[in-house]
Amino acid sequence: MTISRRDFLKLSSSGLAAVALGTAGLQLFWRGSEAVAATQVLNLEIVEALHEMTDKVQIPVWAFQMAGDVPRVPGMVIAAVEGDEVDIRITNRHSVVHGFSIPGIPAATTTINPGATVNIRFPAPPAGTYLYLDHLNAPLNRVMGLHGAFVSMPRIPFTPYSNATSNVTKLFEHFGTTNHFPGNPWDPARSWIWLVNSYDPVKNAQAAANPAMSGATFAGNYVPQYFTISGKSGFFASHDPHIAVSGRVGQPALVRCLNAGLVWHSMHLHGNHVYVLTDSNLGNGGLTVQQNLILVDVWSLPPLSGKDVVIPFIKPPDIPDETWNRMISGVSDEVFPLDFPMHCHTEPSQTAAAGNYPSGLLTHFMIEGNISAGDATIQVEKAELRIKFGKLTLKGTCSLPAGSILEIYAGGAVTPQSQLVGRTTVQVGGIWTFSGRALRAIPSRSVSITAQNKANPQRLDVRPVIR
Amino acid sequence: MAVIPRDRDHHLNEANYDEMIQFWQHGVAQPSSMALMDPNNTKPGFELPPNRLLGEAPSPNDRRISMFSANFRNNVLAPIADPLSLLPTPDPLPVPARTFTRSNVAGGGVLPVPYATKGGRLSMEVWGFNETGNTNVPWFPGTTIRVREGELVHSHLGPRFGSHTIHHHGIEPTPMNDGVGHATFLVGGGGYTYQWIAPPAGTYFYHCHKNTVLHFEMGMYGLLISDPDVPGAPFLDGRSGMVYRQDSLRNYDKEVLWVIDDMDSRWHEDVIAMGHSAGIGRVGNEFITSADNTDVNLHRFDPDFFLVSGVFASPVEQNVITHPAVSPTVTRGETILFRVLNAAYTVVTVRFPSPLNPEVIAMDGRTLGRTPFVQYANPFGLSSLGGEMRLSTAQRWDLLLNTSVPAGTYSVTIEYRHWVTQALLRTVTVPVVITS
């Protein structure tokens, strides 16, 4: 797979760019490949750039730039499916030695001399959220901008993890199938990334002038003046649809939160409490999928830590029922969308250039309305293919009404060569299962599930466990 | 050299009024309640839309248009003649089970402090909320708002000076009732009544959400507690009551409220001289430069005072706080409910000494193990975390402590660590006294 011109057009019109590596089906990450390019080999360059802050002040940074793309801080999201080969080629266009590493993946660590190009190749790690960074001269090279999110997805993305705990599995089983979570199962396309950092312009200027200054000198008396979330601040972070989270009630969303900077943040969401799913040490790659899923409105994000949270997208619970009924009937005084903030509650991070509230680490959380039939989702929880007999067994959830027919295809349903292997019916409570022969799925080792007649919703390119 | 623009891939057209109105209302021109009462920009004496003259139609993206139905705008808001009227609450429900009224304390108040400030004074100005018309009620921190789960609440703000808001933190109503200036509006003039349902039983708080970095630091906050829907609720601060543990109700004999705060005295003597909107620009000059902000410096927060529930710690007293409102005394075997809020900008670590092993039963107003929403978590003993809990700003944990331990005085310590350097700034000790 190479990057098509069409993919580049999509990249250039999007906020948070991502690249999918290996054989990953794009739809595993972002539906309709919005903001996603796909490639077998990712070519990255380390370059100097200027990062314009919210007040138009330009700060010198060091950035990752994908071939054919623009420099970005943070670097573009790199995504792959667990176990797939990831192939990255990094060229150092800067005057000093740089590093590349993904803590938790020893084979992904290297150093690159000025002008040199280094190749790294490694299998994608257990599903979860990781940080890629220049680990040299810490924390200088990282905080100067050389960092980005690395996302590993499970082969069957029912939850975001390969080894989900029983409570994570239970929570995702409950989305869309219980009274307290009316609506849809989680759709992997509903994923956002909040990768935070800060800048001390004095330090950045010093490092740009003297790139060999020590990390300790850089970190000493560090006084951040700008606070970013996925590279933007204030109004610009709040109005970028790839940072601001939106959707309808009943469409749970995953937000992968990472802190590449030096400030202890305290993330606060209005409108919904969130479930905290993971606790990651982005410095050593330690990833804990939680069993005790606390439901909070504030979650700590210390330097070099990560937390995946899921916003359940329930009706904001303290709206009176009478008001809510008026709203969804279209007769209320206050109208959709319901626009709530997310911000760091360590409020000095809400500033830019020593004031200018609210121009720091914040964004929005938008509830656009009540769920509608057009938002239906199919999810696959278990998928197994026995090579010897071609027996395919599937289990999943779906927000179509009980009695709806689902169709199972070998390979991707949208590809011309796709072939129907069977049908099944959605049961009461949104559960569905399938068991049948699917010899045609053996060559591609992937299946797709759609509503009847290849209609929406579709769950594309699920990769069963092979037995 | 390549420039990464501030609006990469999602362009802001500065020549387009309909886009700029959103930019201004997010920051330098957050609408006040007065603006919302003039939806068509036809009434002198209200508040003009930025860069518009009286009579010019507001942009459809102007919040005075975009947040409301045409019916509410034209039939409820537009007929209001007096700019100092109460802004009508949208979708009003007439009979609240409970009503609160708050005003900001005009011009602030002065607190004595146990040692000299950065400016060499022995007192510090704070701002806060008090109950309107009741000057005898202590107002720093603000009087607790105490409600009963599930009831309809009206919380009225009548500012006496400038504009402010109340964000009831952790309560999740509509945006108009969420009290966030940069997302909706600021309450000025004749005030506003926030309408919401009392949330699941647990610990919440409220604070002003205008220029929040400054107003929250200045002291504009108080606790908000939702008690279970049982006879006798809402309960009294510091007394006995009932609390959920998973799906069961438990009695406690004494409630301890620890609101942990820190203050940088520079903010309370130098910054406030620059007004309530210190550090904020205006339409046409939207950003104040850091050179011009050197007197404001709201990114520099280096606290020199450390408090628990309004009581200052003092090195002269070895930073031990024995004030009875903070340091509890109970009879052995009684059960204490601790509600701990970090209202500081530092990260705090609260450590309970062995053999005290309180059980963490709730976080941020959600009871661990309570069905249906919190069935994916369980309460746990703090000893499983080495006896310590670390809270960053605005986090709340509720703990139940069974005091069937040997009688004595147990020292709970609270460490304050800087939000950037993580340097230990102060360790405060609060004795928990258990008598036989």
Side-chain angles (χ1 to χ4, degrees), chain A residues 384-404:
Chain A
E384 186 178 296
L385 180 63
R386 288 185 181 271
I387 289 289
K388 199 167 176 184
F389 309 108
K391 187 186 177 199
L392 177 68
T393 52
L394 301 169
K395 176 192 172 201
T397 56
C398 179
S399 53
L400 293 172
S404 302

Side-chain angles (χ1 to χ4, degrees), chain A residues 57-119:
Chain A
V57 167
Q58 295 183 350
I59 293 182
V61 295
W62 302 336
F64 287 111
Q65 177 172 9
M66 189 177 81
D69 190 33
V70 290
R72 294 178 187 273
V73 178
M76 70 167 48
V77 179
I78 304 175
V81 170
E82 178 186 22
D84 275 7
E85 281 294 310
V86 174
D87 201 340
I88 304 176
R89 183 178 299 152
I90 310 133
T91 301
N92 181 356
R93 302 276 183 218
H94 194 212
S95 58
V96 293
V97 64
H98 280 284
F100 184 92
S101 113
I102 308 175
I105 312 173
T109 297
T110 189
T111 58
I112 314 117
N113 286 320
T117 298
V118 172
N119 257 68

Side-chain angles (χ1 to χ4, degrees), chain A residues 425-448:
Chain A
T425 307
V426 178
Q427 306 298 309
V428 174
I431 309 293
W432 61 271
T433 59
F434 174 81
S435 183
R437 272 166 67 88
L439 287 166
R440 287 163 177 157
I442 289 173
S444 68
R445 298 190 175 194
S446 68
V447 297
S448 310

Side-chain angles (χ1 to χ4, degrees), chain B residues 129-419:
Chain B
F129 294 104
N130 72 357
E131 294 187 63
T132 305
N134 188 351
T135 51
N136 296 322
V137 173
W139 53 267
F140 176 79
T143 314
T144 304
I145 291 179
R146 205 141 183 159
V147 296
R148 189 161 161 168
E149 177 178 309
E151 67 186 4
L152 179 66
V153 180
H154 280 179
S155 175
H156 175 77
L157 172 62
R160 285 196 198 132
F161 180 68
S163 60
H164 292 275
T165 78
I166 298 180
H167 168 55
H168 303 85
H169 181 118
I171 318 298
E172 290 159 345
T174 65
M176 275 294 288
N177 295 299
D178 197 35
V180 180
H182 80 259
T184 53
F185 74 103
L186 303 167
V187 180
Y192 179 73
T193 301
Y194 297 101
Q195 173 174 277
W196 39 269
I197 298 293
T203 304
Y204 303 83
F205 67 115
Y206 64 96
H207 64 86
C208 178
H209 219 305
K210 174 191 176 182
N211 203 7
T212 317
V213 57
L214 179 61
H215 290 212
F216 181 37
E217 162 59 19
M218 286 308 295
M220 301 195 77
Y221 68 82
L223 274 176
L224 192 164
I225 294 170
S226 184
D227 285 311
D229 183 16
V230 295
F235 303 110
L236 298 174
D237 288 7
R239 307 286 282 275
S240 62
M242 294 180 96
V243 67
Y244 276 105
R245 183 191 177 278
Q246 297 176 302
D247 281 327
S248 308
L249 286 162
R250 294 292 177 88
N251 291 299
Y252 57 85
D253 301 295
K254 182 171 185 59
E255 180 187 59
V256 176
L257 307 176
W258 283 346
V259 179
I260 299 168
D261 195 4
D262 52 11
M263 291 183 180
D264 180 339
S265 58
R266 179 182 71 86
W267 291 40
H268 294 255
E269 38 199 18
D270 297 343
V271 176
I272 55 167
M274 296 157 219
H276 283 209
S277 297
I280 296 182
R282 56 181 169 74
V283 173
N285 183 20
E286 285 80 8
F287 289 99
I288 296 180
T289 66
S290 60
D292 285 337
N293 262 336
T294 50
D295 294 335
V296 180
N297 273 346
L298 293 179
H299 68 311
R300 286 188 185 269
F301 184 78
D302 299 302
D304 51 339
F305 288 89
F306 302 88
L307 311 80
V308 180
S309 302
V311 181
F312 285 89
S314 170
V316 174
E317 293 160 353
Q318 288 74 48
N319 294 307
V320 179
I321 296 179
T322 55
H323 190 291
V326 179
S327 168
T329 298
V330 296
T331 305
R332 184 176 179 274
E334 288 186 322
T335 297
I336 305 178
L337 171 65
F338 292 90
R339 300 182 188 268
V340 186
L341 159 68
N342 181 1
Y345 291 156
T346 47
V347 179
V348 302
T349 305
V350 181
R351 186 175 293 110
F352 282 78
S354 175
L356 299 188
N357 181 22
E359 186 179 42
V360 181
I361 57 166
M363 296 178 188
D364 294 357
R366 293 294 183 270
T367 300
L368 304 177
R370 189 171 175 200
T371 53
F373 286 108
V374 208
Q375 62 179 291
Y376 318 98
N378 282 306
F380 58 90
L382 197 62
S383 62
S384 68
L385 297 180
E388 50 178 64
M389 49 193 268
R390 181 168 291 171
L391 302 184
S392 56
T393 309
Q395 290 190 303
R396 293 91 67 206
W397 282 24
D398 297 351
L399 305 94
L400 266 184
L401 177 67
N402 179 337
T403 61
S404 297
V405 295
T409 297
Y410 296 90
S411 292
V412 175
T413 57
I414 304 172
E415 293 178 353
Y416 297 72
R417 287 180 192 277
H418 194 276
W419 61 291

Side-chain angles (χ1 to χ4, degrees), chain A residues 14 50 52 54 56 174 180 232 239 266 270 273 275 292-293 297 300 318 326 333-334 353-354 356-357, chain B residues 2 4 6 8-10 14 69 91 172 174 176 178 212 279 288 293 298 364 373 376 378 392-393 396:
Chain A
S14 66
L50 292 168
E52 184 187 52
T54 183
K56 296 190 175 175
H174 285 182
H180 59 291
K232 294 187 177 180
H239 289 258
S266 197
H270 293 226
H273 280 51
Y275 294 95
N292 219 30
L293 303 185
D297 58 49
S300 278
D318 306 318
R326 285 164 60 91
D333 298 335
E334 189 178 356
N356 296 304
Y357 178 91
Chain B
I4 304 170
R6 61 180 182 168
R8 162 73 80 214
D9 298 330
H10 198 73
E14 293 181 47
S69 69
D91 305 295
E172 290 159 345
T174 65
M176 275 294 288
D178 197 35
T212 317
I288 296 180
N293 262 336
L298 293 179
D364 294 357
F373 286 108
Y376 318 98
N378 282 306
S392 56
T393 309
R396 293 91 67 206

